[in-house]
Amino acid sequence: MFSGLAANLGPGDGDAVFRRLSGLASLSQTPSKVDVSSDDVDSEDAFVSRAEDWKYMPEVKAYQEQEERDRQKSRKLGVTWTDLVVKGVGADAAFNENVLSQFNIPKHILEARHKRPLRTILEDNHGCVKPGEMMLVLGRPGSGCTTLLKMLSNRRQGYAEVDGAVSFGSMDPKTAKQYRGQIVMNTEEELFFPTLTVRQTTDFATRLKVPFHLPSDKDKPADFQKEYRDFLLNAMSVAHTSDTKVGNEYVRGVSGGERKRVSIIECLATRGSVFCWDNSTRGLDASTALQYTKAVRAMTDIVGLTSIMTLYQAGNGIYDLFDKVLVLDQGKEIYYGPMRSARPFMERLGFMCDDSANVADFLTGVTVPTERKIREGYEQSCPRTADGIRDAYNSSSVFEDMQREYTYPVESAAKGHTEEFREAIAHDKHKSLPKTSTLTTSFVTQVKACVVRQFQILRGDKATFIINQLATLVQALVVGSLFYDSPANSSGLFSKSGALFFSLLYQGLTAMAEVTNSFAGRPVLAKHKSFALFHPAAFCIAQIVTDIPVLLFQVTQFSLVIYFLVGLKADVASFFTFYVILFTVSMCMTAVFRAVGAASKTFDAASKISGFLVSALIIYTGYMIPKTQMHPWLVWIYWIDPLAYGFESLLATELHGDIIECVGTNLIPNGGTYADLAFQSCAGVLGAVQGSTSVTGDQYLAALSYDHSRVWRNFGILWAFWALFVGVTIVATCNWSTVTGRGGFLLVPRENAKTERIIHGDDSEAQITEKPSSLVDTPSKTDSAVDERLIRNTSIFTWKNLSYTVKTPSGDRTLLNDVQGWVKPGTLGALMGASGAGKTTLLDVLAQRKTEGTIRGSILVDGRPLSVSFQRSAGYCEQLDVHEPLATVREALEFSALLRQSRNTPKKEKLQYVDTIVDLLEMQDIEHTLIGKVGAGLSVEQRKRLTIGVELVSKPSILIFLDEPTSGLDGQAAFNTLRFLKKLAGVGQAVLVTIHQPSASLFKQFDTLLLLASGGRTVYFGDIGDDAITIKDYFGRYGAPCPPDANPAEHMIDVVSGSLSQGRDWGQVWLESPEHQQVTTELDHLIEKAASVEPGTKSDGFEFAMPLWQQIKLVTKRMSVSLYRDTEYVNNKFLLHLGSAIFNGFTFWKIGNSVADLQLRLFTIFNFIFVAPGVINQLQPLFIDRRDIYEIREKKSKMYSWIAFVTGLIVSEIPYLCICAVLYFAPWYYTVGFPNDANKAGATFFVMLFYEFVYTGIGQAIAAYAPNAVFAALINPVIISVLVSFCGVLMPYNQIQEFWRYWMYYLDPFNYLMGSMLTFTVYDVEVQCTDREFALFDTPNNQTCQEYLGEYTAGYGARSNLVNPDATSGCRVCQYRLGSDYLATLNLGEYSDGWRDAGIVVIFAMSSYVMVYLLMKLRTKASKKAE
């Protein structure tokens, strides 16, 4: 029905299209009457919607008539709740343990015996929102608004107790669970796959909500979906961004306001019946916010939805659109009733509301002593607390009227609506779905949509895919050339086995990246699960479908290269068997690690399990220890190891039917005159019959307990394993929690427990200072004391003819177009414009934060170019609150103050200034709590205050930029923030702020305004004037006068980009105005005047405020404290070492002294290497998270150097790495039976300790340059595999190809690790051959064995041991006498080589850390300057 609408849009109509949102957002809902409440009039004609002026209302009604013609049932529900009490974990209980405190067992037992205190989040709440009604929930942050919305959208997880009755229509919460796709909540968090475009994101959501029975005017589901998608994109004014990535903090995409609108679209795509909107206007400009609310109003009226919203800073235009208001304070309901009655009720109690004030802000401020105003004559009677106001409300007539609604769930209207709702949902649901399913489309459709999205995600991150495939090719070439043309004799047995083992090992290591991948998309999938878009199984199957082509390509290039380079069996059947088995193993290992990721609650737990798994699967493949030599207590691992089945199949295919001649050290005697096979014998070759000089492939396989007949049985078992792990993944994914936080509590570090208890004293008595009605803002003594300590500034900041362009796939795109202006000391400048107009871009350019694109124009301070210290002399509060989560609020503030205030300021003074800012921003109650992540840590509003605080404590000397400082704050917090900024301006500071939806009272605080239109064009720059008289006059002269009762800020945005634009080009209007000419003249005058006098601010000439050594000390301290508190990370590191050591020790329990045991000694040490992949996979995301914090905020504000950053990260890990080395050494070294000699044990420990530094350095070096954690996880196996290949284990030194032997072997740190540890543990071992290991042969001409072997033992066989020299037949020769003889074959000749290698390991430890510095330096880009 809306076809062609998008095509007819004129310029500026985008926001107006908002108004069409209604019908389509709930496409098959068809009320025949608009049932606002059961008491309302029945006649539709008598009803007039408050969104009737909505441009597209007639079309929505026409669509509604179409629905009636189709006789569709309505989907009205309504929500009623009574006596609702919700409790969460109390703040005192939420201690964050540190590495030491977690072992304080008595304390934990004591605390466990006391029932943990619960905090009441909602107390005795009640209300009813019927179909067709809109309710606004108001309250300050922390008063329980979000929790109430979660209850009303049936999201109960994460809370300790929920009591009371909640009814959806006439259904209880348990019954309503199966309709979760119709009872939806739009949360504050914006969770998306950042590399998908806006169109792809909305495509996905709309495709999965197409009804089975289409409206009669639609033929195909695709038509319905496309029209619905285009409608939503146009309605939300984001159609122009369709092909732009959604982006996030780290991936460049659409603007913050546009991203919020995409999240609104995704929610509307569910076509729900009950919508809960949690602060959904955050980041939207005033005009867009109003249009969005009107859209919801229209939808609610026409379709009969139930809409519940929490909003901060809601203007009166938005407030007037609601039917009901519910006001919360500390979880207590102090008002619930009609919107029209709320203000009169509070005024009757004695509170005073200014005519220009936002009523919503007035209602939330009545319990705040510093905000409320008491009317004259009510000073004694007016209630002061939430309890007092609630008591007054409970005895009011409004309360009595509302009580009558609570019987709604048992009324016939509700029962009728609920029954119709059930029928409508069943009618929309695909016939193949079970009756209890929460979904809409068929399982096949879900899988198709998920598959398309998986390929889109893959395409969006092409770089990772390409690098991964290139890495595989390089790996195959390297390993293929290492094992090049392996001979078909006994010397080739080991190298062919090594090549086959490596082929499997590489697939396993590559699949480990799935663990990191699993956590990257989990929050988005949890959100989609709550919207009932698809079954988790559909997502898992889509992943598999995406795996197939990717792995086919990967395995094909790997197989083609490695198979023919190694010289494996040259027949078609053998090659395709190799290829098919390798592909199957690859699929299976991907499924294994995906299951580990899905089944683990946290990434640290998953990386610990995957680290153990890699170790276990590699040892029990059958390559390191033949199955016959495995200890009975752990041999069961062999039977559940997919790699073991793969290895048996590959080896059996390769060796079946071959005859393998014994050569070299495997043939005794040989060389010289020994040519008669009758008097020679094989030695050290499994399966060889004593006395024979060759062995058949099948004999060799039988000695390993392998059989060629089991190749295809193993193939079947591998697919069975794959199916099992896919099943585990699906079950685990189904059980993922949709809770994004843990009930929103603060975390206190255990070491701050005492401080925090004092602070959380009872402060109810502290509420004393009211605002007298005559005074809005009374300066206090503390204020004047603070004023004295605030920094003064006299510099003028100017920008002229500023343009900024970036490269896009479709060509250059201009984001700023010839913008000019200034900020003078003592002024508060506002930067406004619709979402996506380029406000944040302009701030980034002015603050020198851009590293890409081209900037043209001039940016000057006092008429001079920007100095080297500009970035730290100007404060910049970014829109996104990026902080170190394991620091406390005070630590974050002190860190900023100590590093950014001048090096000449004493430390004591810097810390005193932190106290000033803590008091100013009212953060005393949270200063000792951890910042954490949203949900477990500071709330959105508290984080915003901290972001501002971190910049203010640095005492910015030039000016302060703030990007949306009031976004996400309630009216009071926003007003306090701006009042504080005004105070800063008052003492001479220059402040420039972007702001989205200021109320009239907020707008009054500003002195100047720069207004931008889309495309970054100026629409106005200049003074605002008292009561905005100057700007009202400007727009009035050009035909857009501001109505007397309108908020001038909202009016301007509406004129420039909203419904009042009249199709005019306001950018051109500005360019042709006399005001523009005046600004240009004034700007030139300011620059000329400022340049002619001494600058107001002199640069100290330093890039950083503090010397490098001080930076290193402070950064290292912060990183160390952070790690000390990160118990999950540290514990997993410890457990991975301890577990791997015990596992390795008991697998190779008490190794003997036979020839086979020498091999086991080699492999138990080799296995120690594999502690690295698990730990590296765990440490890289931590490194990259810290690096992102540094690059996004701290680097750009020149807080400290990248050298200090890297040093802090390296040094903070060292104590834990030392403990890790002990945890591995102690349970492993003695368990495997290595020498007890302290010299050798100590030397081995020394090397193990430095290996910890070697692999940590390698892991951090990869992370330093990798764009993201998934990319790093894909590079790890390449690096580890290459190092493992050339360390002389898989291929002994003398068999390595000459091309690699003389450089790669010597550049490999693992070579020296193996060399030193083998020397210390094997050199002095006296070798004792078992009966099967002796070479057994007769001598010619009745010679004694010694006579016959004289030439051999003097030359080629000098290291062999003849045990019966005087015998004339049955000579028994052992390959080696001592461990040193065995080591000589590994290029380790002398005991001193062990210490030489140990020294080289130390050098490698240092050089790997040097690599971290080098790669971090390579990554660090300089900021762009204006050309």
Side-chain angles (χ1 to χ4, degrees), residues 491-684:
S491 67
L493 269 180
F494 194 70
S495 58
K496 281 183 179 177
S497 300
L500 297 175
F501 168 72
F502 183 83
S503 300
L504 297 172
L505 170 66
Y506 184 70
Q507 307 311 319
L509 289 175
T510 311
M512 269 184 92
E514 282 305 319
V515 175
T516 314
N517 234 337
S518 170
F519 285 86
R522 188 177 287 196
V524 186
L525 300 171
K527 175 179 77 169
H528 287 167
K529 181 183 171 185
S530 72
F531 287 168
L533 292 183
F534 55 86
H535 193 279
F539 167 71
C540 296
I541 290 168
Q543 281 187 310
I544 293 161
V545 173
T546 322
D547 286 342
I548 292 169
V550 173
L551 291 179
L552 271 175
F553 182 74
Q554 183 173 306
V555 171
T556 301
Q557 57 166 346
F558 188 85
S559 302
L560 284 170
V561 172
I562 207 164
Y563 194 89
F564 296 107
L565 278 180
V566 174
L568 299 177
K569 205 175 256 182
D571 67 76
V572 176
S574 299
F575 171 73
F576 279 105
T577 305
F578 174 87
Y579 178 76
V580 167
I581 296 290
L582 204 56
F583 174 71
T584 307
V585 167
S586 204
M587 288 290 285
C588 191
M589 294 309 293
T590 301
V592 168
F593 288 110
R594 195 170 281 157
V596 169
S600 305
K601 284 191 174 174
T602 63
F603 174 74
D604 282 325
S607 61
K608 177 173 61 187
I609 295 166
S610 59
F612 276 136
L613 259 181
V614 162
S615 229
L617 296 179
I618 288 170
I619 294 179
Y620 284 89
T621 301
Y623 171 72
M624 291 192 190
I625 318 177
K627 181 181 167 292
T628 49
Q629 289 180 264
M630 291 177 186
H631 287 294
W633 56 72
L634 288 174
V635 75
W636 56 270
I637 298 172
Y638 172 84
W639 296 111
I640 59 165
D641 182 353
L643 293 180
Y645 292 96
F647 188 63
E648 178 180 3
S649 293
L650 294 182
L651 199 61
T653 304
E654 180 57 33
L655 298 182
H656 172 62
D658 284 1
I659 293 175
I660 300 150
E661 299 290 340
C662 294
V663 295
T665 55
N666 298 127
L667 184 64
I668 295 177
N670 69 13
T673 58
Y674 300 102
D676 190 343
L677 295 178
F679 303 105
Q680 292 174 302
S681 174
C682 286

Side-chain angles (χ1 to χ4, degrees), residues 838-1128:
K839 302 181 294 297
T840 301
T841 304
L842 177 59
L843 277 199
D844 281 343
V845 168
L846 293 178
Q848 305 286 288
R849 297 296 172 98
K850 290 291 185 194
T851 56
E852 291 169 351
T854 307
I855 304 168
R856 290 200 167 79
S858 65
I859 304 171
L860 306 171
V861 173
D862 290 329
R864 296 164 177 83
L866 304 182
S867 68
V868 69
S869 61
F870 171 76
Q871 278 172 270
R872 66 177 168 84
S873 307
Y876 186 7
C877 299
E878 300 217 21
Q879 198 169 339
L880 300 158
D881 308 310
V882 179
H883 297 283
E884 165 58 60
L886 286 161
T888 65
V889 169
R890 174 164 278 278
E891 285 165 0
L893 295 170
E894 289 182 352
F895 184 72
S896 180
L898 292 171
L899 279 170
R900 288 178 63 188
Q901 288 189 32
S902 166
R903 58 183 68 189
N904 302 320
T905 308
K907 181 178 177 181
K908 187 180 176 187
E909 195 179 308
K910 290 181 181 180
L911 296 179
Q912 279 176 340
Y913 194 68
V914 171
D915 295 334
T916 306
I917 300 298
V918 167
D919 292 344
L920 270 173
L921 294 176
E922 297 169 8
M923 294 198 288
Q924 300 92 330
D925 56 335
I926 57 167
E927 64 177 318
H928 295 292
T929 62
L930 290 183
I931 297 166
K933 300 254 165 58
V934 178
L938 301 188
S939 67
V940 172
E941 176 264 345
Q942 289 164 333
R943 296 169 83 80
K944 184 59 71 180
R945 275 192 284 162
L946 174 62
T947 302
I948 295 169
V950 162
E951 292 304 316
L952 294 180
V953 293
S954 70
K955 281 194 177 176
S957 56
I958 297 176
L959 84 162
I960 302 170
F961 300 103
L962 299 103
D963 192 7
E964 313 259 354
T966 59
S967 204
L969 306 190
D970 68 311
Q972 278 73 36
F975 187 77
N976 288 343
T977 303
L978 272 190
R979 193 178 57 179
F980 172 63
L981 294 176
K982 187 74 177 168
K983 184 180 287 180
L984 282 177
V987 296
Q989 187 58 268
V991 185
L992 182 60
V993 181
T994 67
I995 192 156
H996 256 322
Q997 35 180 319
S999 62
S1001 58
L1002 284 187
F1003 192 58
K1004 279 181 192 171
Q1005 303 291 318
F1006 291 99
D1007 303 306
T1008 61
L1009 170 72
L1010 172 54
L1011 185 59
L1012 294 178
S1014 57
R1017 300 176 67 209
T1018 307
V1019 173
Y1020 177 83
F1021 175 75
D1023 289 342
I1024 293 173
D1026 291 336
D1027 279 333
I1029 187 72
T1030 311
I1031 196 159
K1032 282 180 187 174
D1033 176 55
Y1034 173 79
F1035 281 103
R1037 271 190 289 125
Y1038 292 103
C1042 180
D1045 57 341
N1047 174 353
E1050 292 180 10
H1051 172 74
M1052 281 178 333
I1053 300 287
D1054 240 358
V1055 167
V1056 173
S1057 60
S1059 53
L1060 304 177
S1061 66
Q1062 305 163 9
R1064 296 179 69 178
D1065 182 350
W1066 285 93
Q1068 196 56 41
V1069 171
W1070 165 251
L1071 290 174
E1072 293 165 3
S1073 67
E1075 282 85 352
H1076 171 253
Q1077 192 53 50
Q1078 286 166 16
V1079 164
T1080 309
T1081 310
E1082 171 77 353
L1083 182 60
D1084 291 338
H1085 173 67
L1086 280 174
I1087 293 171
E1088 194 179 319
K1089 185 180 174 187
S1092 63
V1093 295
E1094 276 288 299
T1097 309
K1098 286 187 177 155
S1099 168
D1100 55 14
F1102 297 114
E1103 185 179 6
F1104 302 101
M1106 298 300 284
L1108 183 60
W1109 174 240
Q1110 290 296 328
Q1111 295 172 37
I1112 289 171
K1113 279 203 300 189
L1114 287 164
V1115 174
T1116 304
K1117 182 187 173 189
R1118 180 177 76 161
M1119 302 276 191
S1120 301
V1121 169
S1122 174
L1123 263 191
Y1124 179 61
R1125 289 175 181 154
D1126 196 347
T1127 50
E1128 199 160 19

Side-chain angles (χ1 to χ4, degrees), residues 137-140 143 145 311-313 326-329 334 346 358-368 371 970-972:
V137 180
L138 295 172
R140 300 203 70 186
S143 57
C145 297
L311 295 177
Y312 290 152
Q313 303 176 53
L326 188 151
V327 186
L328 287 174
D329 190 278
I334 59 172
M346 292 297 181
N358 282 348
V359 179
D361 290 346
F362 159 69
L363 293 174
T364 49
V366 292
T367 57
V368 185
E371 298 302 327
D970 68 311
Q972 278 73 36

